[in-house]
Amino acid sequence: MAQSLTYYLTLLVLKLKGIKRNFSKDPIDFEKIRKEDIHRPKGKFLRRNNAIDFRVSNTRITEIKRTKTANSLLIFIHGGAFISGPAKHHWDTVQEIAKQTNHIIWMCDYPKAPEHKISDLSKNIDSIYHKALEKYPARQISLLGDSVGGTLIAALTQRLIEKSTELPSKIILVSPVMDATMSNPEIENLENKDPMLSKIGVLSAKKMCAENGDLKNTMLSPLHGSFDKFPKTILFLAERDITFPDQLLAAHKLIEVKADIEVIQGGNMPHIWPFLPVMKEAKTALSQIISRLNQSS
């Protein structure tokens, strides 16, 4: 299928912004990348929609509740290679979801590497979910995450299953990074095609988050854990993405254990394409995410 004009415009913008160049360095310049972070956007949207901030563990949560009748919760775990975020595209995505669903949304601004390691990040994510269970039945909770946000959600789900904790209604993973080792040989075939990520920078960021150099730790690399008993799982996979080969392996593992899984594969799409602004294909994919959120479990 031919791509839209806005697709090519988006690729040009990504190139001009130097995103791939930033992810082609070892060590990765996390301070430079963090300059794009927006911890609480200015403007009318949050003020008009009863947004409040509170903390769970070391995470700042911005809660958005547009209607008094909202009784379902979406926990949004943003990406950013464990070293940065949330960024503008995450807030724009939250805004669209808030407008088009009747969900309460928790935007979770969790601690980052290298100041914090993966066990600390994971404890924060665990605390957020348990706080949600104090307020909402598990059947009314959904989780959405892109890139390492997807990593954190997949790893959380594995821990919940291990501890026989009630699972969320559904999880939606957008270009999740499933293996921090980046050792899949198929990655090399995508290195030059990926307009956003490079193996060098991604590995550097993962090493900053790893403890004792253990990149196979399932908190960082859920691909090395079990996918048995996963809840409804919706995967958005991008073909022009170095993390795509490991996402395919995760999808196959979910299929093998007969999980309730839906795979939406973005032909020729870059990493986290549903969240990219302007692009027609992104708007279509985000509409699909919103549609899944609006479906009852």
Side-chain angles (χ1 to χ4, degrees), residues 113-127:
E115 297 89 344
H116 302 268
K117 299 300 182 183
I118 188 59
S119 61
D120 192 13
L121 273 66
S122 299
K123 286 176 184 175
N124 272 262
I125 301 303
D126 289 355
S127 295

Side-chain angles (χ1 to χ4, degrees), residues 28-294:
I28 195 166
D29 190 345
F30 64 90
E31 291 179 333
K32 179 181 179 182
I33 291 172
R34 281 182 189 171
K35 290 179 181 178
E36 300 291 322
D37 288 2
I38 300 175
H39 297 287
R40 200 180 202 277
K42 298 177 182 178
K44 299 176 182 177
F45 181 76
L46 293 184
R47 292 199 304 271
R48 286 178 173 173
N49 291 285
N50 306 311
I52 60 169
D53 293 334
F54 61 94
R55 299 195 78 84
V56 174
S57 191
N58 198 24
T59 294
R60 171 177 169 167
I61 296 176
T62 299
E63 179 184 271
I64 301 164
K65 184 176 182 180
R66 292 195 76 227
T67 68
K68 293 181 179 179
T69 59
N71 61 5
S72 294
L73 176 68
L74 174 65
I75 301 175
F76 189 105
I77 310 293
H78 68 80
F82 295 126
I83 58 171
S84 67
K88 185 177 185 299
H89 60 270
H90 295 120
W91 288 106
D92 290 344
T93 299
V94 164
Q95 183 169 320
E96 284 306 309
I97 292 172
K99 286 178 180 177
Q100 298 184 52
T101 74
N102 197 29
H103 281 67
I104 299 159
I105 303 174
W106 285 4
M107 163 66 95
C108 302
D109 188 353
Y110 52 87
K112 309 298 188 300
E115 297 89 344
H116 302 268
K117 299 300 182 183
I118 188 59
S119 61
D120 192 13
L121 273 66
S122 299
K123 286 176 184 175
N124 272 262
I125 301 303
D126 289 355
S127 295
I128 292 164
Y129 185 74
H130 285 288
K131 176 60 71 175
L133 283 179
E134 292 175 10
K135 295 174 174 286
Y136 305 92
R139 67 180 181 278
Q140 290 172 211
I141 300 173
S142 301
L143 281 74
L144 168 62
D146 65 304
S147 195
V148 298
T151 308
L152 292 168
I153 290 172
L156 165 69
T157 304
Q158 290 172 338
R159 293 192 297 275
L160 295 175
I161 293 168
E162 224 172 80
K163 296 175 182 177
S164 300
T165 304
E166 285 187 284
L167 299 176
S169 164
K170 60 174 73 83
I171 60 174
I172 304 175
L173 311 179
V174 177
S175 298
V177 184
M178 300 305 291
D179 188 353
T181 71
M182 302 298 288
S183 57
N184 191 323
E186 294 297 321
I187 290 172
E188 300 300 329
N189 298 329
L190 289 166
E191 178 73 35
N192 293 329
K193 298 177 183 177
D194 189 324
M196 294 180 69
L197 303 179
S198 177
K199 180 178 175 179
I200 293 172
V202 172
L203 258 179
S204 176
K206 301 296 177 273
K207 289 174 182 176
M208 288 180 179
C209 197
E211 286 167 307
N212 304 315
D214 183 10
L215 292 174
K216 288 188 177 180
N217 185 323
T218 54
M219 289 186 287
L220 277 173
S221 299
L223 185 63
H224 297 279
S226 172
F227 291 86
D228 193 27
K229 300 180 181 176
F230 259 51
K232 171 70 177 179
T233 302
I234 303 160
L235 288 169
F236 282 79
L237 312 185
E239 293 180 357
R240 201 171 168 181
D241 176 359
I242 60 171
T243 65
F244 175 62
D246 291 326
Q247 294 158 14
L248 281 181
L249 292 177
H252 290 316
K253 284 193 168 189
L254 283 158
I255 291 168
E256 284 174 5
V257 297
K258 296 180 171 55
D260 184 0
I261 175 177
E262 180 182 7
V263 177
I264 299 169
Q265 193 160 310
N268 212 27
M269 290 296 110
H271 189 63
I272 67 163
W273 97 96
F275 293 178
L276 298 181
V278 178
M279 194 166 73
K280 178 182 177 181
E281 291 85 351
K283 292 177 181 178
T284 299
L286 183 54
S287 292
Q288 291 174 304
I289 291 172
I290 289 167
S291 171
R292 276 38 173 203
L293 289 171
N294 284 327

